[in-house]
Amino acid sequence: MAVLGASGRVGRLLVDQALERGHQVVALVRAPERITVPASRRLDVRQADVFSPQTFPALDDVDVAVSAIGIGKGGPGALVAGARLLAAARVRTVWLGALGSGRSERAGGLIYQAVMRMAVGAELAEKAEADQIALDAGATVFHAPDLKDGPLSPGRRLVPLAGLRRPLLPPRMSRATVAALMLDEAESGDHGGEIVVPIN
């Protein structure tokens, strides 16, 4: 299993939880020194810059890639570049998107939609473009709500975007819970080519 953006807040949780589950993990990061998990024989850290396709590592030895890259860390264009690289690698992918972008623009409710426009603004278009690239390549795309620190939710589950009931208040979820659900999907592959929404 490869984790793209493994040094970020969700990426670190993905690496930790995947190792706890016994997976061999390939951590893909621009700066390998930023990986803070303890050394493990089951962890291979590879330098990977989505803006440098010619030096991006081959993923022939992984069965699934989980992407936790975001605009804040990668800068403008990082999401689209990452989605294109994973699509070209032809590896089954679980992609982290955002509720309130693209096809789920109105799914988080009116308040959430307004908050997303203010907080994310022009980056919503890039999120939607990257999601579509991932979907066209058969990825499972997670439209996660606003993320926070916190424990793993015991009632966590996924719903297809079409089956989501629009909430009254802006939804929030812990990063640990989203990471666990992304790993569940990486293991099962139940929702390839779909947008799913993690809920508590």
Side-chain angles (χ1 to χ4, degrees), residues 15-99:
V15 171
D16 288 343
Q17 291 183 23
L19 289 171
E20 286 171 11
R21 293 187 190 198
H23 290 286
Q24 290 288 137
V25 179
V26 175
L28 302 170
V29 290
R30 279 186 300 170
E33 66 277 5
R34 293 190 60 208
I35 288 289
T36 58
V37 298
S40 167
R41 287 179 304 192
R42 290 185 286 112
L43 177 64
D44 178 14
V45 179
R46 298 180 190 171
Q47 188 167 11
D49 184 345
V50 297
F51 292 116
S52 182
Q54 63 277 13
T55 63
F56 196 84
L59 300 177
D60 301 343
D61 58 340
V62 301
D63 57 350
V64 61
V66 183
S67 176
I69 61 171
I71 287 178
K73 292 284 185 187
L79 291 176
V80 169
R84 287 183 177 147
L85 284 170
L86 292 182
R90 299 186 185 276
V91 62
R92 187 166 60 84
T93 298
V94 179
W95 181 263
L96 181 59
L99 187 66

Side-chain angles (χ1 to χ4, degrees), residues 7-9 14 35 38 42 54-55 61 63 71 84-85 87 97-98 161 174 181-182 185 193 195 200:
S7 61
R9 295 176 79 180
L14 284 164
I35 288 289
R42 290 185 286 112
Q54 63 277 13
T55 63
D61 58 340
D63 57 350
I71 287 178
R84 287 183 177 147
L85 284 170
L161 178 59
S174 75
L181 284 166
M182 292 182 78
E185 175 62 21
I195 295 176
N200 291 310

Side-chain angles (χ1 to χ4, degrees), residues 130-182:
D131 287 354
Q132 194 58 54
I133 292 166
L135 285 168
D136 289 345
T140 304
V141 175
F142 272 59
H143 273 203
D146 186 36
L147 299 178
K148 62 181 181 173
D149 292 329
L152 201 60
S153 170
R156 66 187 183 272
R157 62 191 176 96
L158 293 178
V159 296
L161 178 59
L164 180 69
R165 293 179 62 191
R166 188 179 298 175
L168 179 61
L169 297 174
R172 298 193 81 203
M173 176 172 278
S174 75
R175 291 176 182 86
T177 300
V178 170
L181 284 166
M182 292 182 78

